[in-house]
Each structure stands twice: as C-alpha cells, then as structure tokens.
Amino acid sequence: MTKNYRISGPSTEAAVDSLIDEVSLIEGTHTVDVDTDAGTMTITGEDFSGDEVLQAAQNAGFEISA
C-alpha cells in the first residue's frame, strides 16, 4: 500500500532525515519519501496506521494535515 500525506515543518536536511528515521521505525513501512518543496510525504509498506505516522511526524517536529 502507498499513502500520501501533506506535511509542514522544518526543511533542513537534518529535520527531514529525522522525519524519515522516525517514520521508518514504524513496523510495516518499506520506503519513506519526503518532498519539502511540495510539502508531501509518501510512504509505502503494509499494515501501518495513520496514527503511527502522525505520532512519528510529531516526534520529528512536523505536522500532518488532511
């Protein structure tokens, strides 16, 4: 499954790396792609929840909007 999210937050490389690291820790995620210019994050994997993604993004200093 592939899910796309609208994100906002810092655009530094370190912040984006932190976001990718946090989301990658979620069981079932395979790839995480972040485009800060477009304000998007695309996650591929199986059986991960939106709540887990929201929490991981918040841990990295980002917000997800619907």
Side-chain angles (χ1 to χ4, degrees):
M1 108 177 111
T2 300
K3 290 188 178 181
N4 297 301
Y5 298 90
R6 302 274 316 150
I7 60 166
S8 60
S11 60
T12 65
E13 185 176 336
V16 171
D17 288 345
S18 177
L19 175 61
I20 292 170
D21 289 345
E22 286 285 337
V23 174
S24 294
L25 291 174
I26 299 170
E27 187 173 334
T29 59
H30 296 290
T31 62
V32 180
D33 293 309
V34 175
D35 183 340
T36 54
D37 291 334
T40 60
M41 175 172 61
T42 303
I43 304 171
T44 59
E46 300 173 12
D47 300 326
F48 58 89
S49 76
D51 289 339
E52 291 173 307
V53 173
L54 176 63
Q55 185 61 52
Q58 288 175 342
N59 289 347
F62 287 80
E63 292 184 22
I64 293 181
S65 57

